[in-house]
Amino acid sequence: MRRDPALPRHDWTLDEVETLFARPFMELVFEAAAVHRRTFDPSAIQASRLLSIKTGGCAENCGYCSQSAKFDTGLKAEKLMDAEAVLAEAIAAKAGGASRFCMGAAWRELKDRDTPKLAAMIAGVKALGLETCATLGMLTADQARQLKAAGLDYYNHNLDTGPEYYAEVVTTRTYQDRLDTLQHVRDAGMATCCGGIVGMGETRRDRAGLLHALATLPAHPESLPVNALVPIAGTPLGDRIKAEGTIDGLEFVRTIAVARLVCPRSIVRLSAGRETMSAELQALCFLAGANSIFVGGRLLTTPNPGEDADADLFARLDLKPMGANPTVAATECSAA
């Protein structure tokens, strides 16, 4: 019996994933679009809002990041925001059409002393009727359980790149450190938000390595962000890419399409880098299986299209906000 391509696999090989990248572009995008439609409404896009609740001063040396204390990017380190200010931002995000509110702190790892304050933020955002997501660095098993108890739905912890290129990006934490945090998150009963960044000087095989790592996790990420590097002056990778050039747009679309094929039921987010993408390039990404974006004019420290620009994009492409149960509607449509 032929296997349904819309059913998740966890036995992908790296060579198989790399072979997907090498498929003729039109065939690759067509297949990804078909798989996407087996699970999701292709016109529905999830809107999330991301807020930096603690900016700068991070002890990590991620070569792309303006928030690292290792690099001189002109970014001033700030303290953790008060819960009241975070809730005000969440209220505004909901009024602007966001269904998920993501909170990011520039930490190597969450400290136990900060957990109660984070729990209050999470509970407050959850009470607004928004899905909650946080990215706070590495977690212990106990911290993951505390965040889950506070009402955290998703925890973001990206793998960043493939295992073979990882040491070119960061050396202050290991790949296994990242995998361990993801396991703590799953064990606590939270959904994972996990993806990476492309356009950091990696090869296509490295991009395949990232998606292979995601597709062979014990459970595929419920949310899979694909970021295009936003090169920031003063960061090693930012300075390098400013000199060498950014990733080709069609290669980025290929990455979205392969992500959809190897993780067919994940929400694939067209994440950082949209500010410089044309409407046509974004449309190709949505066709290839992306079905989530960040809204609002800023991500953590980098620009993002404003609400008016995204409203215009949605109108031109006949897109709509995703409902609370996206896979149910798609299943019913496909069965009709």
Side-chain angles (χ1 to χ4, degrees):
M1 175 180 276
R2 187 181 179 191
R3 191 190 153 277
D4 185 347
L7 293 177
R9 280 178 56 186
H10 298 270
D11 61 348
W12 289 96
T13 67
L14 178 56
D15 286 343
E16 283 180 310
V17 179
E18 191 173 24
T19 297
L20 290 177
F21 269 92
R23 293 194 63 188
F25 181 82
M26 296 300 187
E27 292 182 16
L28 174 63
V29 172
F30 180 84
E31 183 178 354
V35 167
H36 181 67
R37 289 165 179 265
R38 295 288 297 273
T39 303
F40 298 101
D41 179 344
S43 66
I45 305 296
Q46 180 208 60
S48 299
R49 186 71 177 262
L50 177 61
L51 175 68
S52 179
I53 60 173
K54 194 281 174 189
T55 303
C58 182
E60 301 279 14
N61 68 349
C62 304
Y64 54 82
C65 187
S66 64
Q67 302 199 68
S68 172
K70 310 289 186 184
F71 315 131
D72 182 11
T73 63
L75 186 71
K76 182 181 177 181
E78 299 175 359
K79 295 181 179 180
L80 181 64
M81 291 176 64
D82 290 329
E84 293 79 6
V86 172
L87 291 181
E89 293 283 351
I91 291 169
K94 184 176 182 180
S99 60
R100 182 181 299 176
F101 190 72
C102 308
M103 295 160 276
W107 288 324
R108 172 177 164 76
E109 68 274 314
L110 176 61
K111 298 292 194 299
D112 288 336
R113 66 173 181 268
D114 293 312
T115 305
K117 193 169 183 179
L118 266 296
M121 291 180 191
I122 292 163
V125 173
K126 185 75 172 176
L128 297 173
L130 289 163
E131 288 185 330
T132 55
C133 180
T135 178
L136 313 167
M138 293 183 288
L139 297 180
T140 66
D142 184 59
Q143 288 169 341
R145 288 191 291 268
Q146 291 181 61
L147 295 177
K148 169 64 176 177
L152 191 62
D153 298 307
Y154 288 79
Y155 193 78
N156 168 258
H157 201 65
N158 290 336
L159 294 180
D160 280 358
T161 189
E164 294 181 2
Y165 194 67
Y166 184 77
E168 301 297 318
V169 176
V170 55
T171 60
T172 49
R173 79 171 79 169
T174 68
Y175 218 71
Q176 190 59 50
D177 288 334
R178 294 179 184 271
L179 295 173
D180 289 346
T181 287
L182 291 170
Q183 187 61 56
H184 296 326
V185 170
R186 288 191 297 268
D187 288 346
M190 285 186 284
T192 58
C193 176
C194 183
I197 307 170
V198 299
M200 297 192 292
E202 77 283 348
T203 65
R204 178 180 280 182
R205 187 168 178 85
D206 293 322
R207 290 189 281 278
L210 167 65
L211 296 181
H212 173 255
L214 295 170
T216 55
L217 288 170
H220 289 173
E222 285 81 1
S223 184
L224 197 167
V226 181
N227 299 273
L229 178 70
V230 179
I232 297 169
T235 62
L237 290 173
D239 290 342
R240 173 182 169 182
I241 297 307
K242 279 178 177 289
E244 296 180 359
T246 58
I247 187 171
D248 173 72
L250 295 183
E251 182 69 14
F252 186 84
V253 176
R254 284 184 185 273
T255 307
I256 293 287
V258 176
R260 172 53 64 209
L261 291 175
V262 299
C263 293
R265 294 187 173 179
S266 298
I267 300 287
V268 176
R269 181 178 296 129
L270 178 57
S271 199
R274 284 202 307 120
E275 172 71 9
T276 58
M277 294 182 187
S278 67
E280 293 81 3
L281 180 56
Q282 292 181 71
L284 274 176
C285 289
F286 295 137
L287 181 63
N291 58 342
S292 176
I293 59 170
F294 279 123
V295 295
R298 191 171 182 82
L299 299 180
L300 292 174
T301 63
T302 55
N304 194 54
E307 292 179 4
D308 289 346
D310 281 334
D312 179 68
L313 179 69
F314 273 44
R316 293 170 67 190
L317 299 180
D318 300 307
L319 300 175
K320 61 187 178 184
M322 182 180 288
N325 296 298
T327 60
V328 173
T331 301
E332 291 174 348
C333 289
S334 64

